Amino acid sequence: MAELVAVFLFIGVVAYAVLGGADFGAGFWDLLAGGAKRGREPRHLIDVSLAPVWEANHTWLIYCLVVLWSGFPTAFAAITTTLYIPLVLALLGIVLRGAGFAFRKATVRTEEQRVYGAAFALSSVLTPYCFGAIAGGLASGRVPTGGDGDAISSWVNPSSILGGILAVLACSYLAATYLTVEALHRDEQKLYRYYRDRAIAAGAVTGAVSIAGIFVLQADSPRLFDRLSGPALPLVVLAAVGGLVGLALLWARRTIGTRVAAAGAVALVIVGWGVAQTPYLLGTHLSINEAAAPDATLAVVVGVAIVAGLLIVPSLVLLFRLSGRGDVGVGDRPFRGGLTEGERGSGEGMTEGDGGGAGRAGRGGAAGAALAAGTAQAKGRRRTGAKAAGTPAVPLDPTTVQNRPHRWVPYALCAGAVTATAVAGARATRPDARWYRELNTPDWQPPPWAFGAVWTPLYASIAVAGGHALNATSGPQRKALAGEFAANLALNAGWSNLFFRLRSPLAGLAGTLLLDASNIRLLARVARTDRKAAVVLLPYAAWCAYATCLNAAIVARNHEPRHRGPAGS
């Protein structure tokens, strides 16, 4: 039970790093945007992209604190009584950052906007640095089990400094990547080039600092270094590959998969850190089981975490979808290149007023509303601009809806095929067999329960993506796509038979390599017709790649042939 709560805790850490980290990184680029005139357009893109979601992303921070406090009270007490200085600075940074971001948009005087903008930008750098320094202090074992450790050296040390710098750089890379894709979606070529260059530079600098950090960890945190170069090495390699893929997609002017690659790279780094610390919560001491609360408390935490996930995750997904469509957020019109005369006269910030003097200055008055209405009619994508001027919203074209039906039959067929694949694979899988238990497996192999927890949502994502993609095609193209899905599922079910029924890790490795090749073909074919479905399939492909690394490690560790006893042995 304690390990499950630790997994839930780390899910929150990863989510906050990927989502909240991009918000902090946006403040970093706000700080470097330049003066009022030069930085107006980059800051406006930050405002319209950040305003709808920045507060919601802090939900994950609250989630992490509650799970840590409830599930591992000993570790919580040790961390808060030792690292209280960076924790207070991070909390202060979050408060000042939110206040600066809100007040900057509510003021019309340039001098005031500069003060609030500076508070927002500087706090956006301070907060992730403090979180990274906390991670470095934990990883290097500078937090004693009883708490009340050194308040200065616990977070002012080589590992903490490295962690703080990497946190700021990773957040800046995430934010620049997200803003690059946002600018491309808005057909804003100037801002696209602006943020693309910064995303590539941030990614390159982050990689260089990570390589240099190897020597820092080797000298200051030897256990973390040994674990990162051992059990967590596949995750580190996959993170590097994800970062390179993200940079390549940025250079190739691609939107599909770019944000996923960047977020995946950062998430894999954090997961690698977690694997390297396992089984200790404080880096080198206090194991998960030692710090865990009583089983009754852990059971309540698990139940609350599941209910919270069912309530919060769909709400956040809906918020991000509405924000991406421009239905919520700053300004009631899409952003296109230049600014209106009213905005040029409003100084540096962009306001969210609802008709008052400051609101009219931030939106550009009637000129901005007219521009919004014209863009909505031309593109058929935004309707809120017309509302800002008090004119009727442009209705959706009914032919657009009629020409893109989503029939239920492909979804049902895909769900049936995926269910058959899951049943066939489960019947062949025998993790309790004696020959399997005798295999020499790597330390980073997940526990048996994790495979079912991962494959259940992955199989569901295959069914959803398959139905969505098949509905987007017709004729020979649909038949070819259906054949690609069928071949992929056959290879998926075949791996269990190759590995467990034949009792041959080498045959299983061959099966996973074929499955990886099929995943690449499937993603390429789906992306040509339905990019959303391709994005949904990315976690499935990533998990299969991880399974290939795991299978290869088992093959490497078991050179001698095993005794082939009865099927049930």
Side-chain angles (χ1 to χ4, degrees):
M1 184 69 73
E3 290 83 359
L4 182 59
V5 175
V7 170
F8 280 134
L9 172 62
F10 219 73
I11 289 174
V13 173
V14 173
Y16 186 58
V18 172
L19 299 175
D23 292 346
F24 293 126
F28 176 84
W29 296 118
D30 187 288
L31 180 65
L32 301 182
K37 182 177 180 181
R38 187 179 67 174
R40 181 177 290 120
E41 293 185 7
R43 288 191 177 101
H44 179 63
L45 184 62
I46 290 174
D47 284 351
V48 298
S49 303
L50 185 63
V53 298
W54 69 276
E55 289 181 292
N57 288 333
H58 289 304
T59 302
W60 295 108
L61 176 61
I62 300 172
Y63 167 88
C64 292
L65 292 175
V66 171
V67 173
L68 178 63
W69 173 48
S70 304
F72 307 101
T74 304
F76 182 86
I79 293 171
T80 53
T81 58
T82 301
L83 296 168
Y84 57 87
I85 294 179
L87 284 170
V88 170
L89 289 176
L91 178 61
L92 180 63
I94 291 174
V95 174
L96 291 178
R97 181 176 179 273
F101 184 72
F103 287 129
R104 183 180 68 175
K105 297 184 284 103
T107 56
V108 294
R109 295 181 58 187
T110 302
E111 295 79 7
E112 295 176 348
Q113 290 173 344
R114 285 175 176 168
V115 172
Y116 293 129
F120 163 69
L122 293 174
S123 300
S124 296
V125 176
L126 174 65
T127 303
Y129 180 86
C130 289
F131 283 136
I134 291 170
L138 289 172
S140 58
R142 287 182 166 89
V143 178
T145 301
D148 296 318
D150 193 294
I152 303 299
S153 64
S154 60
W155 69 287
V156 181
N157 56 75
S159 296
S160 292
I161 293 173
L162 174 64
I165 293 174
L166 282 177
V168 174
L169 290 175
C171 291
S172 65
Y173 168 60
L174 278 177
T177 302
Y178 292 0
L179 290 169
T180 300
V181 176
E182 182 69 18
L184 197 57
H185 283 165
R186 294 170 181 268
D187 296 329
E188 180 49 51
Q189 299 302 318
K190 181 180 177 181
L191 285 178
Y192 162 73
R193 292 188 296 269
Y194 177 91
Y195 280 113
R196 185 197 64 176
D197 294 344
R198 282 154 179 78
I200 294 175
V205 173
T206 303
V209 173
S210 300
I211 295 173
I214 293 175
F215 303 99
V216 175
L217 294 179
Q218 189 176 17
D220 191 62
S221 303
R223 183 183 185 276
L224 179 64
F225 172 80
D226 293 340
R227 299 280 294 177
L228 287 175
S229 58
L233 182 60
L235 295 172
V236 175
V237 174
L238 287 176
V241 172
L244 292 175
V245 170
L247 294 178
L249 291 173
L250 284 170
W251 186 262
R253 193 187 169 90
R254 301 291 183 183
T255 58
I256 180 172
T258 304
R259 287 178 289 192
V260 174
V266 174
L268 285 170
V269 169
I270 298 173
V271 173
W273 165 55
V275 171
Q277 283 206 176
T278 305
Y280 300 115
L281 285 176
L282 301 182
T284 60
H285 51 278
L286 189 62
S287 67
I288 294 174
N289 290 324
E290 291 173 347
D295 289 342
T297 303
L298 295 178
V300 173
V301 172
V302 170
V304 171
I306 293 175
V307 173
L310 294 175
L311 293 176
I312 294 174
V313 173
S315 302
L316 290 177
V317 171
L318 177 61
L319 174 62
F320 292 147
R321 287 179 63 87
L322 294 176
S323 175
R325 294 206 306 259
D327 293 339
V328 296
V330 177
D332 291 332
R333 61 174 177 80
F335 178 67
R336 295 290 181 201
L339 303 175
T340 64
E341 292 299 328
E343 286 168 341
R344 292 191 179 97
S346 66
E348 186 175 336
M350 301 296 165
T351 66
E352 275 188 293
D354 58 354
R360 287 191 295 272
R363 291 176 183 165
L371 175 61
T375 306
Q377 292 173 348
K379 298 291 185 180
R381 296 169 59 186
R382 303 276 201 260
R383 290 176 291 165
T384 55
K387 294 178 182 178
T391 58
V394 179
L396 288 173
D397 185 359
T399 59
T400 303
V401 179
Q402 294 174 2
N403 290 335
R404 298 189 62 185
H406 288 273
R407 295 175 294 275
W408 61 269
V409 175
Y411 287 100
L413 293 176
C414 288
V418 168
T419 301
T421 301
V423 171
R427 289 178 61 87
T429 303
R430 297 291 301 275
D432 57 340
R434 185 177 63 190
W435 77 271
Y436 179 74
R437 296 197 306 267
E438 292 176 353
L439 288 175
N440 183 7
T441 57
D443 296 336
W444 45 274
Q445 174 172 305
W449 59 264
F451 290 95
V454 171
W455 273 111
T456 300
L458 288 182
Y459 277 133
S461 69
I462 297 172
V464 172
H468 201 278
L470 290 175
N471 269 330
T473 60
S474 60
Q477 192 176 15
R478 172 181 286 187
K479 293 181 179 179
L481 184 59
E484 199 73 51
F485 268 106
N488 186 271
L489 292 177
L491 289 171
N492 186 306
W495 176 85
S496 299
N497 290 275
L498 292 173
F499 190 97
F500 286 97
R501 289 193 182 276
L502 295 182
R503 296 174 202 171
S504 173
L506 185 60
L509 178 60
T512 59
L513 291 173
L514 290 175
L515 181 58
D516 290 334
S518 175
N519 285 336
I520 295 174
R521 284 177 52 88
L522 181 62
L523 283 171
R525 184 180 291 274
V526 171
R528 288 196 294 267
T529 58
D530 192 334
R531 292 186 173 186
K532 291 183 179 180
V535 172
V536 173
L537 287 173
L538 284 175
Y540 166 61
W543 179 260
C544 290
Y546 168 74
T548 302
C549 297
L550 179 59
N551 201 325
I554 293 176
V555 172
R557 289 167 170 262
N558 296 269
H559 297 292
E560 298 180 1
R562 294 285 175 177
H563 171 69
R564 297 178 181 273
S569 63

